[in-house]
Amino acid sequence: MLPLPRRIAVGIDTVLDRTVAPGYTRVGQAIRRRLPTWPADPDPGALAGRVAVVTGATSGLGLATAEALARLGAGVVLAARDQVKGRRVQQELSERLPQAELQLARCDVSDLDDVRRFVDELDVPRVDVLVHNAGAMPPERTESAQGHELTMALHVLGPVLMTELLRPRLAGGRVVLVTSGGMYAQRLRADDPEYLQGDYSPTTAYARSKRAQVELLPVLDQRWAPEGISVHATHPGWADTPGVVDSLPTFHRLTGPLLRDAGGGADTTVWLAATEPVPTGGRLWHDRRARPTHLLPRTRSGDAERAELWEWVRAQLDLPPAP
């Protein structure tokens, strides 16, 4: 059989992406893996001697990411809020990967004071890969320890603060924000980042916070560029994780047979962490390809809205402006 021309392969990949289903399912990923445009896997041992920190590492995508990074040779810090569960997961991973260097550290990413403590106590001289995976979709409007709407605290404020505090140890490293395809349905609400207006919807709040992550990508990539830190975001498609089961039971019931496993959902995050050369930062990725950040005209944001959101984030975290 003659190889598929590259332009046709790109066209197939793009159609899968724009139609959402089946592109976000395990079917879409299986098709893409067979196209000539699918990038090569990272080399075995690609992360040997490197250190990776993964938040929300005790289940779902976070656990799959931590295990895959360890299999590539990285020493992995499992950052988890639930230490009982964390110790169990650490033990299970150690049994599967007896040569892996695994460290458990407590961190509630939504609590800014706990993020500061976590960074102060983190016992590693450097961080080569930082994966912001911790996430939640509370059923009603909930506030963090500092009084911020929880999804914005957990998905935006906490990750930005953690990265900012780790900048000296992250020099030359990579930061990956695990976002969600759900953000495509929402526009940036820089005018209401705390979701104080209108009736609260958990799925809308979640998607808004993920939209905020994606909108801030170029800002963060530019801010941390002086240290050689590249910033990326990935969305996993539709993956079968405990978070989906708990937060979206109807969706899980209807799409269950088509959902990717956690490893499939974490694939691009791991690829971005380990592939060489370092992909261009400030972009959104899905199935190892940079994707558009908007699919609908009504969700498009301008530079002014992005700047307004960044100024809000900077003010909440008391960060100095970039030089």
Side-chain angles (χ1 to χ4, degrees), residues 96 100 122 165 241 254 267 301:
R96 291 199 294 271
L122 184 61
L165 296 175
T241 67
L254 294 175
D267 174 80
S301 307

Side-chain angles (χ1 to χ4, degrees), residues 98-136:
Q99 303 304 317
E101 296 180 11
L102 303 171
Q103 182 182 147
L104 177 65
R106 178 173 60 85
C107 186
D108 179 349
V109 181
S110 73
D111 183 338
L112 304 181
D113 290 337
D114 203 48
V115 170
R116 294 184 179 95
R117 178 206 52 78
F118 164 77
V119 172
D120 287 343
E121 296 178 0
L122 184 61
D123 188 22
V124 294
R126 73 176 191 281
V127 176
D128 301 286
V129 177
L130 175 58
V131 179
H132 292 297
N133 170 80

Side-chain angles (χ1 to χ4, degrees), residues 39-297:
D41 293 340
D43 293 334
L47 295 177
R50 310 283 181 87
V51 176
V53 175
V54 182
T55 69
T58 58
S59 68
L61 299 176
L63 175 55
T65 299
E67 180 167 355
L69 295 177
R71 288 186 183 278
L72 289 171
V76 180
V77 177
L78 309 169
R81 181 172 55 86
D82 185 337
Q83 290 295 280
V84 173
K85 187 176 182 181
R87 283 189 288 272
R88 184 174 70 249
V89 167
Q90 183 184 24
Q91 179 62 34
E92 291 170 355
L93 284 178
S94 295
E95 291 172 359
R96 291 199 294 271
L97 303 170
Q99 303 304 317
E101 296 180 11
L102 303 171
Q103 182 182 147
L104 177 65
R106 178 173 60 85
C107 186
D108 179 349
V109 181
S110 73
D111 183 338
L112 304 181
D113 290 337
D114 203 48
V115 170
R116 294 184 179 95
R117 178 206 52 78
F118 164 77
V119 172
D120 287 343
E121 296 178 0
L122 184 61
D123 188 22
V124 294
R126 73 176 191 281
V127 176
D128 301 286
V129 177
L130 175 58
V131 179
H132 292 297
N133 170 80
M137 187 189 297
E140 57 188 26
R141 190 181 183 282
T142 307
E143 294 189 349
S144 70
Q146 287 74 36
H148 297 295
E149 192 277 319
L150 188 66
T151 62
M152 283 296 287
L154 182 57
H155 303 150
V156 179
L157 296 178
V160 171
L161 178 62
M162 184 183 295
T163 309
E164 188 78 14
L165 296 175
L166 285 172
R167 281 174 75 170
R169 284 183 272 182
L170 261 169
R174 310 182 196 192
V175 176
V176 183
L177 292 149
V178 180
T179 187
S180 165
M183 66 92 196
Y184 280 121
Q186 295 295 321
R187 68 182 180 88
L188 183 64
R189 288 299 305 270
D191 62 320
D192 186 26
E194 301 278 18
Y195 209 145
L196 296 171
Q197 302 171 17
D199 294 331
Y200 184 85
S201 161
T203 53
T204 299
Y206 184 87
R208 283 185 184 179
S209 66
K210 296 298 185 177
R211 164 59 67 190
Q213 285 181 331
V214 171
E215 293 294 338
L216 288 177
L217 280 173
V219 177
L220 299 176
D221 193 62
Q222 183 178 30
R223 180 178 179 86
W224 297 325
E227 288 83 10
I229 301 168
S230 62
V231 185
H232 318 268
T234 62
H235 84 75
W238 295 345
D240 191 355
T241 67
V244 171
V245 174
D246 293 341
S247 302
L248 300 170
T250 301
F251 173 82
H252 183 268
R253 185 173 66 253
L254 294 175
T255 61
L258 296 174
L259 297 180
R260 305 171 179 207
D261 62 17
D267 174 80
T268 300
T269 297
V270 175
W271 178 82
L272 278 172
T275 193
E276 294 291 348
V278 182
T280 302
R283 297 191 291 177
L284 170 67
W285 296 78
H286 172 61
D287 281 351
R288 303 190 185 186
R289 183 178 171 189
R291 305 293 175 179
T293 56
H294 296 271
L295 298 180
L296 304 171

